[in-house]
Amino acid sequence: MAHHWNRILLLGSLIFPLCYTAVKGNIPQNCTDFQTSSWRNILQMLDLSVQFMLHTRQNPDCAQPINDSNDIRNSNFNGSLPTKLIMHGYRITGSKPSWVDTLAKELLDAMDVNVVIVDWIIGSTALYHNVVQNSAELGLKVSILIRDLMSHGSTEDSFHLIGISLGAHVAGFVGRMFKGKLGQITGLDPAGPKFSKAGVDERLDPGDAVFVEAIHSDSDYFGISRPVGHIDFYLNDGKDQPGCTRPFLTSGLLERGGLSADVQPKEVKVYLMTSSQPPFCVKHFLLEIFYEQLGSHEQRVKIKFLSNSHSDISNLQLTIPKKQSSESIIRKVIPYDARFGNMDDITIQLLSSWRKKRSPIHIEKIRIRELHFNGSERPPRCIYNILLYREILFEQLANCL
């Protein structure tokens, strides 16, 4: 199976197409770039006009066209290396995806591979219903390309298809044509509309490749929420991402670490959190609240986690159940950006309601434990015997007894 890529960075800035020249041997070549589309193209019902562009470490900034066997033969394509295919999704603006160049460079920085970018701007700029229909034809064209690349030395398991939004389901369609024998599929925010209730033969599914993963970061808007891979990652619960405003007809910003998958489980959900700034990774802490005395109705509390410099580094709102509840422990995972220092203090605020009077809450213990990562872990830290009746309570964390 193809080696897994180490990291992906998707940027939201608009990049206008550029043209470069590169040299392979002594032969100058013109670089190819994305096409552009417009609603005039749509009204004229033009052909899908798919083109395939190759980047390698020999030509990282200058894409070579590989639309047929002759192009492949005259390019830097190396059939002994893994091949990554990138497929964008629905494009309402008819312009080049702003993140695609960065993604290609990140893949080449991570390993020596062939990176093939699939440009189907013409077919992806239309009414969404029509674009979904066009995606089937795109899948056929991508399948033909893969067979051409295999005739130049590639193997089925050396292919890694990376599709964002609608492109993720196209990757699944291609994988089914190869009976699930392609090495890997990564679905970045697989599209939800038209696919949320679709059967396994009509959307991305674990059977589409040897290993299928999906990364969900917009499942409450245009992304699909159901699991569609062997492993599904839900960044920040798979919904709104920190530092990202709600975009118009686009998906959120994502970041992902490397993943080792020697064993392919079936539809495992993995939840993790990110920060709003690069490199986006955060530590994860388990918060446990052991409480005794409860009020006559549910109450809301807000907890702020502070660094040693009293910077606000994480926030959490919780519902404390009423005294009839059989529960006695609340457990939550919280993110913590270590750039701001150690987590030393917390404030607890009992939120008021115009309908309900605040009642005292007796918390026996609050315990915070850093989830194990790379063999290093701080000892658990605790606060004991808290009687919460004031609006805001300040407490310092200490080593647990």
Side-chain angles (χ1 to χ4, degrees):
M1 186 173 68
H3 296 296
H4 302 306
W5 40 282
N6 292 329
R7 59 194 178 108
I8 293 177
L9 180 63
L10 304 183
L11 301 176
S13 59
L14 184 62
I15 301 177
F16 290 96
L18 301 175
C19 185
Y20 304 87
T21 51
V23 175
K24 182 187 179 183
N26 297 319
I27 304 174
Q29 293 185 347
N30 291 325
C31 300
T32 187
D33 208 333
F34 271 75
Q35 308 164 89
T36 57
S37 184
S38 67
W39 286 97
R40 178 178 297 179
N41 300 142
I42 298 167
L43 295 175
Q44 293 175 347
M45 300 296 288
L46 296 179
D47 181 73
L48 199 58
S49 298
V50 180
Q51 66 169 349
F52 303 105
M53 299 175 288
L54 173 69
H55 290 269
T56 69
R57 286 185 169 178
Q58 286 69 49
N59 58 303
D61 300 313
C62 173
Q64 297 174 328
I66 53 167
N67 297 310
D68 52 43
S69 292
N70 187 57
D71 284 345
I72 298 171
R73 189 177 303 109
N74 294 316
S75 73
N76 290 327
F77 180 79
N78 186 343
S80 65
L81 297 176
T83 299
K84 315 282 186 179
L85 281 90
I86 302 172
M87 292 178 286
H88 63 82
Y90 179 56
R91 300 295 299 168
I92 192 172
T93 62
S95 62
K96 175 181 178 178
S98 61
W99 49 265
V100 70
D101 288 336
T102 301
L103 174 53
K105 290 178 181 178
E106 292 288 338
L107 291 170
L108 290 172
D109 286 345
M111 63 186 69
D112 192 6
V113 293
N114 307 295
V115 176
V116 178
I117 298 173
V118 180
D119 168 18
W120 63 298
I121 288 292
I122 302 297
S124 66
T125 307
L127 298 176
Y128 183 77
H129 174 76
N130 294 337
V131 175
V132 172
Q133 291 180 331
N134 290 341
S135 65
E137 182 182 349
L138 172 65
L140 290 171
K141 292 181 179 294
V142 173
S143 300
I144 293 171
L145 172 72
I146 290 177
R147 296 194 186 280
D148 281 345
L149 297 178
M150 289 174 64
S151 70
H152 288 79
S154 293
T155 58
E156 288 180 325
D157 64 354
S158 68
F159 287 96
H160 178 188
L161 277 58
I162 304 169
I164 187 169
S165 188
L166 188 54
H169 297 297
V170 175
F173 177 71
V174 174
R176 284 192 296 278
M177 298 190 68
F178 288 88
K179 299 181 180 180
K181 295 181 180 180
L182 297 182
Q184 183 178 355
I185 292 176
T186 298
L188 305 175
D189 258 336
K194 299 285 187 181
F195 296 96
S196 293
K197 297 181 180 179
V200 295
D201 292 332
E202 300 173 308
R203 59 168 173 81
L204 182 62
D205 178 79
D208 295 336
V210 175
F211 178 66
V212 179
E213 63 181 343
I215 303 170
H216 304 261
S217 64
D218 194 30
S219 60
D220 59 337
Y221 205 53
F222 287 119
I224 200 169
S225 60
R226 67 189 300 176
V228 292
H230 294 102
I231 295 182
D232 286 69
F233 295 88
Y234 292 82
L235 302 187
N236 302 296
D237 204 31
K239 299 178 181 178
D240 295 331
Q241 302 304 307
C244 295
T245 57
R246 171 59 66 195
F248 178 65
L249 292 178
T250 59
S251 294
L253 184 70
L254 353 141
E255 195 276 342
R256 164 202 196 271
L259 170 68
S260 176
D262 295 324
V263 179
Q264 289 75 40
K266 177 70 173 179
E267 294 189 354
V268 173
K269 293 183 179 181
V270 180
Y271 292 86
L272 66 156
M273 299 174 182
T274 66
S275 69
S276 61
Q277 299 293 327
F280 304 106
C281 56
V282 295
K283 291 184 177 180
H284 292 74
F285 284 79
L286 176 63
L287 170 69
E288 297 174 291
I289 300 178
F290 303 80
Y291 50 84
E292 290 184 351
Q293 179 182 334
L294 299 172
S296 59
H297 55 266
E298 292 183 345
Q299 297 186 90
R300 299 282 294 171
V301 297
K302 181 177 182 179
I303 303 178
K304 287 188 177 182
F305 302 87
L306 308 176
S307 71
N308 47 12
S309 61
H310 301 293
S311 299
D312 185 357
I313 55 177
S314 191
N315 294 280
L316 180 67
Q317 289 195 22
L318 294 173
T319 298
I320 304 296
K322 54 188 178 182
K323 60 185 176 182
Q324 289 85 359
S325 173
S326 59
E327 300 177 357
S328 60
I329 303 176
I330 295 177
R331 291 185 173 91
K332 292 287 184 181
V333 175
I334 57 173
Y336 164 46
D337 193 334
R339 294 177 304 164
F340 297 106
N342 293 326
M343 184 188 298
D344 285 341
D345 309 313
I346 66 172
T347 63
I348 309 174
Q349 181 179 0
L350 184 59
L351 301 178
S352 61
S353 169
W354 66 271
R355 294 187 306 163
K356 299 176 181 178
K357 182 180 178 181
R358 290 196 298 262
S359 300
I361 300 173
H362 183 201
I363 298 176
E364 177 187 359
K365 177 173 64 175
I366 293 179
R367 180 169 62 194
I368 298 177
R369 294 187 291 170
E370 181 179 348
L371 298 183
H372 186 70
F373 181 72
N374 283 350
S376 63
E377 181 179 2
R378 290 187 69 187
R381 314 195 77 194
C382 292
I383 301 172
Y384 296 93
N385 196 26
I386 300 170
L387 184 60
L388 185 61
Y389 60 91
R390 301 193 304 270
E391 183 176 353
I392 298 180
L393 185 69
F394 175 84
E395 294 286 346
Q396 290 184 312
L397 294 164
N399 290 338
C400 296
L401 302 177

